[in-house]
Amino acid sequence: MKNYKIAVVPGDGIGNEVVPESLKVLDVLATKFGFQFSYKNYDYSCEHYARNGKMMPDDGLERLRDSDSIFLGAVGYPGVPDHISLWGLLIPIRREFQQYINLRPVRLLKGIESPLRNLKDLDYLIVRENSEGEYSNVGGRFKEGTPDEYVTQEAVFTKKGVDRVMRYAFELAQNRKKKIASATKSNGIIHTMTYWDERFTAIGKEYATVEKSQFHIDILCAHFVQHPEWFDVVVASNLFGDILSDLGPAVVGGIGIAAGANINPEKEYPSMFEPVHGSAPDIAGKNVANPIACFWTGAMMLEHLGEMEAAEVLLGAIESLTASRKVLTKDLGGTAKTSEVTNEVIRIIKNWK
């Protein structure tokens, strides 16, 4: 029997609710399909930072290294700036373990109403470069406190970094609807984005059957709202991908159902799976958080581990639940508690044939 070692990082706020509920669901699937999970919990979080002055211990990354996957809830805590959590936890994990792919599915689940008129069906993927680009720490503050104070921030794009995310996205497109779009802004950002366009064209030559398009990020955001059905695979830099992967889920019901993955495709290091939503401290501890995003994130982890049938059943159970409209949390128009959603998904899984 396969035994997957999962590093569990619930994080802050509702992460401490939706992650344990997701583990219940994952364990039911493991029993159903003949494998098992071994969990090890880590309290890396903004609350840890508030107590200790750091997001994780000095050897925090080493403790995660031998895991098969990392399952993260959410980070964020009143009084701790967001850049602390990003640079103290998320970016070190992504870079140390070469999780250079951030993958976000955008899919309109049955029973979920889009804020857009007449949208009935939508299913595309956003592939975000996850380890360099605009999110670099190159730059600084100069002449602080003087009238001449200024700051600089440099974006770093490497051929290796750009090509591997392009190739990953093209491979996805090749195996889906053979259609890919690139997010750019080369009319205004003349060095890095022009280079991005060049590499998109170069890698695209290896995929002659894939339909290719390029959009400046501003009009692409407009098309995500006005013509979301145009897209199947969208590849974007770190910053643009970050923006698009929140906008996409907003079109299909909100970040309460949005899943995400930080992937090391070669599986040389553990990949990390995290729902898109934040820690939502205003509702934490009330058993009202929507766990669907975390469940869906678990399905992405199952797929990455090679447990394809279990992943398909979990996604099917989620969509069966949303289609029924019977057990939904407040953000989806219902009154169900977090634990009630979990219990219903488990019931559906156990009865799945």
Side-chain angles (χ1 to χ4, degrees):
M1 180 180 290
K2 291 182 180 177
N3 183 9
Y4 299 106
K5 296 184 293 184
I6 308 299
V8 179
V9 186
D12 301 296
I14 64 170
N16 292 285
E17 296 172 74
V18 296
V19 166
E21 296 299 297
S22 298
L23 300 187
K24 294 177 186 177
V25 172
L26 290 171
D27 282 338
V28 170
L29 286 160
T31 299
K32 188 178 184 72
F33 290 99
F35 57 93
Q36 61 186 13
F37 292 111
S38 295
Y39 303 116
K40 190 166 184 179
N41 281 273
Y42 298 88
D43 68 345
Y44 307 167
S45 64
C46 289
E47 293 184 58
H48 185 279
Y49 177 87
R51 294 191 304 267
N52 304 288
K54 56 183 72 174
M55 291 292 297
M56 59 180 166
D58 292 337
D59 64 344
L61 294 175
E62 288 306 311
R63 298 184 188 187
L64 301 175
R65 189 177 296 275
D66 66 346
S67 306
D68 292 307
S69 289
I70 303 165
F71 198 60
L72 172 69
V75 290
Y77 190 72
V80 179
D82 288 343
H83 71 271
I84 296 292
S85 59
L86 184 64
W87 287 94
L89 182 64
L90 301 180
I91 286 182
I93 291 174
R94 292 169 181 172
R95 292 184 176 175
E96 178 69 19
F97 299 136
Q98 297 187 32
Q99 297 167 356
Y100 58 86
I101 297 295
N102 185 283
L103 186 64
R104 301 272 182 92
V106 178
R107 177 176 166 184
L108 185 61
L109 300 175
K110 294 177 182 177
I112 302 296
E113 291 188 13
S114 168
L116 303 183
R117 289 195 304 263
N118 303 319
L119 185 62
K120 302 298 183 185
D121 185 39
L122 195 65
D123 184 0
Y124 64 86
L125 297 172
I126 298 171
V127 180
R128 166 188 169 191
E129 198 291 312
N130 206 35
S131 62
E132 53 177 47
E134 302 90 348
Y135 288 11
S136 83
N137 58 359
V138 180
R141 295 171 178 252
F142 305 92
K143 298 184 179 181
E144 292 185 64
T146 75
D148 296 320
E149 183 176 3
Y150 68 98
V151 298
T152 66
Q153 179 77 52
E154 296 185 22
V156 177
F157 288 73
T158 66
K159 183 177 180 181
K160 176 182 177 180
V162 174
D163 283 9
R164 64 189 181 183
V165 72
M166 293 289 186
R167 191 163 279 113
Y168 183 92
F170 271 103
E171 286 292 328
L172 283 178
Q174 182 89 312
N175 292 303
R176 285 171 55 95
K177 299 178 183 176
K178 300 188 185 301
K179 185 165 62 174
I180 190 171
S182 171
T184 185
K185 190 59 180 172
S186 48
N187 60 341
I189 306 175
I190 63 172
H191 298 301
T192 56
M193 284 290 98
T194 299
Y195 186 72
W196 179 271
D197 291 348
E198 291 171 1
R199 298 316 304 161
F200 180 77
T201 299
I203 300 301
K205 291 178 180 178
E206 302 173 19
Y207 299 87
T209 61
V210 176
E211 177 187 338
K212 310 161 191 72
S213 56
Q214 295 171 268
F215 297 94
H216 289 144
I217 185 64
D218 37 11
I219 192 61
L220 182 55
C221 287
H223 290 327
F224 263 35
V225 175
Q226 294 180 309
H227 308 287
E229 71 281 357
W230 286 359
F231 302 102
D232 185 56
V233 174
V234 180
V235 62
S237 67
N238 212 331
L239 174 61
F240 292 168
D242 197 359
I243 294 167
L244 293 172
S245 56
D246 276 359
L247 176 57
V251 169
V252 292
I255 59 175
I257 58 171
N262 304 273
I263 298 173
N264 171 243
E266 296 79 14
K267 298 186 178 180
E268 296 174 357
Y269 304 95
S271 295
M272 179 169 65
F273 300 84
E274 55 173 324
V276 176
H277 61 68
S279 61
D282 57 320
I283 61 169
K286 298 180 180 179
N287 193 28
V288 297
N290 184 351
I292 289 177
C294 206
F295 294 168
W296 195 344
T297 297
M300 296 183 77
M301 183 175 75
L302 288 168
E303 186 174 348
H304 181 74
L305 293 171
E307 300 295 343
M308 305 302 292
E309 191 174 2
E312 290 173 5
V313 168
L314 179 48
L315 276 175
I318 291 170
E319 195 154 36
S320 177
L321 179 142
T322 59
S324 72
R325 302 293 302 172
K326 292 179 181 178
V327 185
L328 298 177
T329 49
K330 183 178 179 181
D331 62 317
L332 295 178
T335 59
K337 301 293 187 182
T338 306
S339 55
E340 292 173 337
V341 176
T342 302
N343 292 338
E344 180 64 10
V345 167
I346 288 174
R347 185 193 69 78
I348 294 170
I349 291 170
K350 287 182 174 180
N351 293 320
W352 196 277
K353 296 179 180 179

